[in-house]
Amino acid sequence: MAAQFGRRLRRGATTTAVAAAAVAALSASQAPAAPHPGDQAAAGATPPGDSAATGNSPYHTDLPPLNTPNKPGASVNLPVTGSAEAGIPASVLAAYKKAEQAVAGTDAACRLPWQLLAAIGKVESGQARGGKVDADGTTFSPILGPALNGQGFALIRDTDGGAYDGDSTHDRAVGPMQFIPSTWATWGQDGNGDGRKDPNNIYDATLAAGRYLCAGSRDLSLATDLDRAVLSYNHSTEYLRTVRSWFDYYNRGTHEVPDGTGVLPADTGTGAGAGTGTGTGTSSPSPTPPSTGATPPAASPPATPPATSPPATTPPPAKPTPPPTTPPPTTPPPATPSPAETFGSLENAGTGPLTATAGEAFAERVKVRARNMLGAPLARTPVTFTLVGETDTRFAGGKRTVTLTTGADGTVTAPALTAGERTGAFKVTAVAGTGKPRILTYTARVTARVADTVARTEDKALTAAPGAAFADRVEVRTTYKGTGVADTAVTATMITDAETPAENDRGPYFKDADGEPVRTLNLTTGADGLLTLPEIYADDTAGTYTLRLTTASGATLTVELKVEAPAA
C-alpha cells in the first residue's frame, strides 16, 4: 500500500530517496466491497481478487492539516471560512449531501453522514480533482486508476470490455469514488436523475458509495460499523486511519468553494487524484542505495585448519528437524450481497382503516411492500404479522402471528382478520429484516354491535276500551343483522302521527312511578335484545293512535293502538 505523503510521510520514510519512491508509488484506488474486520486487514496489505469496491488499488494518503477548522463561532482565531483544505467544491459538496438525503429516505437506520463520503472522496480523488466537473457533475476527463494486472496491485482481469475504464485486458478504478467496473455493475446509481449510471459523475458515484457503505444492517453512527464500512471499501487499516482523519477533519467544519478551486492532492502528476485523468501512475520498486564508485576489497580465503586426530568417541546423532507446520487456512469473509438482493425498507402498500363490528370479519387486510437497498421491490422477503394488545381478534385459522413471504412485486398481504366479542383498540405489526428489522404498526378497532332493526315479536292487534288498560303488552327485539343486541337504548313515545311525530297530549299513555300519565319513556333491551314495554292505558277518547319506538342507531318501529268501545 502506498506510503502516506504530502504533509506527513509514513514514519521512517525520511530520506529524499524514500520520499520520492513513496510519491511515485501512488496511483488511483478503487472503492467498496464486502465488510472486512479491521483486525484482519494488515496495514498496506492488498487481498487477492476483487474483494473491495476499489479493488484495493493505491489511494491518496494526504492527511488533514494539523490545525483543523472549528465549527463556526467556536474560535475567534480562525477565519470564517476555515483553512483552505476545509473548502469542498460546490458540486461535489452538493453531491455528498444529496446522497446522504437519498440514503436516509430508503435506509434511515444506516445514518450515513455526508462527511464520510467527503472523507472517502478526498482520499480517492482529491474531491474529484478539486471540483473539475461540468454542470451535471461529470468530470471533464476520466479519473482512472492503474491497470490491476497483479504487478504490485490486485489481479483483476477485464469485466466490462473497457466500457468504463478503456482497458479491455484488466480492470481499472474509475471516477471520483474509484469504483472498479465489476463493482459498479452491481452498485451503480443514477444520482442526478439523467437516466444514466455513470461512475464519472459525482452525483452517481457518491450515491453508489453511500448505498455500498450501508450494505447489510450497518449503523454508521456506531464506530465499529463505520470502520467495517470503510474497510469494505479498501482492505487496509492504513486506509481506514486516513479516511478517519479526514472524516474527523470535516466534522469539525467545512465550507463551499467554487468548482475547480479545490485543493489538489500533493502528488500532482501521478495517481487518480493528481488530475492527470489517465491513471498512468505505476508502482516503483524500493530504491537502492546510490553507488559510491569504490570497489570493495576482495575477501581473503580462509586459512587451512591444522590436521587433527579423530575423536575417541563418536558424537551422538543430530536430532531430526521437525517438519514445518502449515498455518490453518484463513476463512475468507462472507461475500456481501448485492444491493439488489439486500433488504432495505418496509412500507405500507395501501392498507385501509382496520375496523370491524364484534364477531365480524375486517373488510381491510394489512398489505406491505419490501424494497431493496436500491429502492426497488424485493421478492422472497419474510414478513411476520402479529396481533398486539388485549383482543380476541384472530387471523384466519385462529392465529395471533403468521409469517408470509413477499411476491415478485415485493408485496405481501396478511390473512383476513375476524373480530371477537372484545371491543376496543389493538395493534397489528408487520416486521421484516434481521439484525435491525423494520417495523410497521397499524391500529385496529373492534366496535360493539349496534342494532339496525327493532321489531315486535308478534303481530297481535292492540286494542282497549276507553278508560281501560290494553289487554296485551308490547314486546320488541333489537337486532343487528338478525342477531339480538342487548343493552340497546330504546325510546317509546306516543306521537300525533308518523308524518309529524310530536308527542301526543291525549290518547294512550304510560304511568310513571307516581301513577301519573306519561307519554314518553326511555328503556333498555335485555338479553338477546328483548324488551317488554310497561302496561299502556287508554283515556276516554276513542280513536286510533300511534306508538313509536326508536334506537340511537336510527332503527324505528311504529305500533298502532286502537281505543274503541266494546261491541254491544
Side-chain angles (χ1 to χ4, degrees), residues 22-97:
V23 172
L26 286 169
S27 56
S29 90
Q30 300 143 243
H36 188 75
D39 57 358
Q40 295 179 358
T46 302
D50 177 14
S51 59
T54 64
N56 296 322
S57 65
Y59 54 86
H60 296 286
T61 54
D62 288 6
L63 292 177
L66 291 175
N67 294 323
T68 55
N70 290 328
K71 293 182 179 180
S75 173
V76 297
N77 299 319
L78 293 176
V80 175
T81 57
S83 68
E85 286 285 6
I88 299 178
S91 293
V92 179
L93 182 59
Y96 295 149
K97 293 184 177 181

Side-chain angles (χ1 to χ4, degrees), residues 37-346:
D39 57 358
Q40 295 179 358
T46 302
D50 177 14
S51 59
T54 64
N56 296 322
S57 65
Y59 54 86
H60 296 286
T61 54
D62 288 6
L63 292 177
L66 291 175
N67 294 323
T68 55
N70 290 328
K71 293 182 179 180
S75 173
V76 297
N77 299 319
L78 293 176
V80 175
T81 57
S83 68
E85 286 285 6
I88 299 178
S91 293
V92 179
L93 182 59
Y96 295 149
K97 293 184 177 181
K98 184 176 182 181
E100 177 191 62
Q101 294 174 354
V103 173
T106 57
D107 188 13
C110 177
R111 297 178 175 86
L112 169 72
W114 67 261
Q115 290 88 347
L116 179 60
L117 296 174
I120 292 176
K122 178 67 175 179
V123 173
E124 294 293 348
S125 68
Q127 307 300 20
R129 296 184 303 199
K132 293 181 179 179
V133 297
D134 62 19
D136 294 326
T138 303
T139 57
F140 290 124
S141 58
I143 302 176
L144 300 176
L148 298 175
N149 54 15
Q151 300 179 16
F153 314 125
L155 174 60
I156 303 179
R157 302 195 182 279
D158 176 63
T159 60
D160 65 332
Y164 292 121
D165 56 12
D167 190 332
S168 58
T169 303
H170 297 95
D171 271 349
R172 295 171 181 259
V174 182
M177 303 303 278
Q178 290 288 278
F179 278 91
I180 52 175
S182 58
T183 305
W184 183 260
T186 299
W187 292 88
Q189 300 288 307
D190 176 15
N192 62 351
D194 64 356
R196 299 174 60 243
K197 298 178 181 179
D198 184 1
N200 295 299
N201 182 276
I202 187 67
Y203 292 96
D204 295 359
T206 53
L207 181 56
R211 297 204 185 282
Y212 183 91
L213 293 167
C214 286
S217 58
R218 291 179 185 140
D219 179 352
L220 300 184
S221 67
L222 303 177
T224 53
D225 279 9
L226 188 144
D227 288 351
R228 290 191 185 99
V230 175
L231 287 169
S232 77
Y233 213 87
N234 192 312
H235 293 296
S236 164
T237 52
E238 182 177 316
Y239 179 86
L240 171 62
R241 287 194 298 269
T242 306
V243 170
R244 271 287 199 173
S245 295
W246 281 109
F247 178 58
D248 293 341
Y249 180 77
Y250 288 133
N251 272 320
R252 290 173 180 260
T254 186
H255 61 278
E256 176 185 304
V257 298
D259 288 347
T261 64
V263 177
L264 292 175
D267 64 331
T268 303
T270 62
T276 63
T278 62
T280 57
T282 58
S283 175
S284 300
S286 301
T288 57
S291 174
T292 62
T295 303
S300 299
T304 303
T308 59
S309 300
T313 59
T314 303
K319 294 181 180 181
T321 302
T325 59
T326 303
T330 301
T331 303
T336 300
S338 72
E341 301 171 329
T342 303
F343 172 73
S345 62
L346 191 67

